[in-house]
Amino acid sequence: MTALRTKVGALALALAAGGAIWGFGPWHGDSATSAADTCNGALAVREAEEFFQGAELEFRGNTAEWMGHETQHCAAWADGDSSIGKQLKLNIRPASAHRASGAAEDSSATPIGHGWNGSFSTTGLQTQAGVLIDCAPMAGKGLLVLAEISREAEELTDSQVLQVARLATESARLAAERLGCEGKLGQRPAAVDRTPWQNRPAAQASGTCRDVVDVQEAARLRITSVSEKPAGRALTEACTLPLPGKNRHVRLSAYYGPSAQQEMYLDDRYPGSVNGAVMRSQHCAGGLGTAYFKFEEFPRPDAAKKIRTTVASGDARRLLTAFAAASTTRHGCPTD
């Protein structure tokens, strides 16, 4: 999604809820809690203690509402140091809460791996993780668990970075047990993948661009390279295909669970932002819901500025179909 539309869309969603924290509705009843009560007992205290290297912790949490769905927000920090950049935060929401944030919506995130549908990101001031688990009792048949700390990754040790991912996965495990979720859970992460965007020859694509364009099609469309992230089961994925001409490129995007709901909502609300785009969707089981895929060519088509597309509609549909097929296969979605 474009940065401008993301900001505008997030603002619209926030205003609709009467305020926003973490892109969500207002916090209510924010109060100090015991470790056992934080996020209804779902916050993985062991992982928080390891992040803060054994310091005595304080906790705070509350219950909020978004689009009629109950959500949990909580935080942990070292005793006496509750400054915003020192709080390890956790957010738990049903898949139907109609809003993604953090690592879940970041197309630059890497797959969290270790058997989870989830993403991990260390960009800007945020180190973030998110996992989505199947949970039939929850609205949308899924549970989204997000963890983050607002601190430059360079200020964190490798162990602390890993603990952010573990806070998300192990808190998801606790929440799943409490809520009676039936979805298969992954393993406690042993490491996180922080691989940046990789630029490779098109014929050597091995990540999110793998199996998108074959040798003959690449030659015909004059696509010589790709820019990709590691392939896996991230909640938002992207593949970029540079085209001949200054700054011209194709972006292929995939969205799952709340990320897909959010993107479809924004595309419907701001149709001008997807001028010239090609979209498709596919059913996936459980919390992944309806997966959503987009082909976008940049610069965007603009008749007034005499900007035309260079990729024919038939080629655009074929590229999108190939990208969606590779992505849904990784995510275990039924084959069309």
Side-chain angles (χ1 to χ4, degrees):
M1 66 189 78
T2 65
L4 176 61
R5 195 199 59 180
T6 299
K7 293 177 182 177
V8 172
L11 177 60
L13 290 171
L15 292 176
I21 288 183
W22 276 35
F24 230 69
W27 291 52
H28 300 297
D30 187 21
S31 61
T33 64
S34 68
D37 294 332
T38 303
C39 274
N40 286 340
L43 187 144
V45 176
R46 171 190 168 191
E47 279 63 37
E49 289 175 340
E50 290 187 14
F51 178 91
F52 290 107
Q53 301 173 329
E56 185 174 347
L57 302 184
E58 294 184 48
F59 303 91
R60 187 173 296 274
N62 63 61
T63 298
E65 184 177 291
W66 175 258
M67 302 297 286
H69 301 292
E70 182 180 289
T71 66
Q72 300 291 323
H73 305 258
C74 55
W77 60 90
D79 185 22
D81 189 0
S82 61
S83 57
I84 191 69
K86 301 294 180 64
Q87 294 185 25
L88 194 55
K89 298 179 181 179
L90 187 71
N91 178 225
I92 302 173
R93 63 186 73 167
S96 281
H98 189 126
R99 180 75 173 98
S101 63
E105 68 173 356
D106 185 359
S107 61
S108 293
T110 54
I112 205 165
H114 306 282
W116 299 92
N117 286 320
S119 304
F120 185 81
S121 174
T122 54
T123 58
L125 294 173
Q126 307 288 331
T127 295
Q128 304 170 318
V131 293
L132 179 65
I133 57 177
D134 294 342
C135 193
M138 302 297 293
K141 299 182 180 180
L143 189 69
L144 179 65
V145 178
L146 303 168
E148 75 164 35
I149 188 160
S150 302
R151 201 190 307 180
E152 291 276 8
E154 290 77 8
E155 297 179 22
L156 303 176
T157 66
D158 289 344
S159 175
Q160 286 178 311
V161 169
L162 175 58
Q163 287 307 116
V164 176
R166 287 176 170 173
L167 183 73
T169 62
E170 303 318 296
S171 295
R173 197 183 308 281
L174 292 171
E177 181 179 356
R178 177 173 62 83
L179 294 168
C181 300
E182 79 293 348
K184 182 179 179 181
L185 304 179
Q187 296 79 46
R188 188 169 186 260
V192 289
D193 188 346
R194 288 189 272 175
T195 303
W197 285 94
Q198 298 291 301
N199 298 315
R200 296 189 174 98
Q204 297 177 19
S206 60
T208 50
C209 293
R210 184 177 179 179
D211 298 327
V212 171
V213 56
D214 61 29
V215 174
Q216 292 77 17
E217 189 168 41
R220 182 170 57 80
L221 297 176
R222 294 192 291 168
I223 295 172
T224 60
S225 65
V226 302
S227 182
E228 61 181 1
K229 294 290 286 188
R233 288 155 52 187
L235 301 177
T236 300
E237 297 185 318
C239 161
T240 299
L241 308 175
L243 298 171
K246 185 178 180 180
N247 297 325
R248 296 200 71 88
H249 64 279
V250 161
R251 184 173 66 200
L252 298 162
S253 305
Y255 307 89
Y256 294 88
S259 299
Q261 294 181 54
Q262 174 174 282
E263 195 69 10
M264 288 186 283
Y265 168 86
L266 292 173
D267 285 355
D268 182 64
R269 188 178 180 91
Y270 306 103
S273 68
V274 288
N275 182 38
V278 179
M279 287 84 82
R280 62 171 292 167
S281 59
Q282 181 175 329
H283 170 72
C284 293
L288 292 176
T290 299
Y292 187 52
F293 307 94
K294 288 202 297 186
F295 167 101
E296 297 171 279
E297 183 178 337
F298 297 92
R300 294 187 183 279
D302 189 326
K305 297 180 180 179
K306 298 182 179 180
I307 299 175
R308 300 179 179 179
T309 60
T310 60
V311 179
S313 60
D315 291 324
R317 287 192 295 272
R318 281 193 294 274
L319 289 172
L320 184 61
T321 297
F323 173 72
S327 182
T328 53
T329 296
R330 291 193 296 269
H331 286 77
C333 300
T335 303
D336 281 347

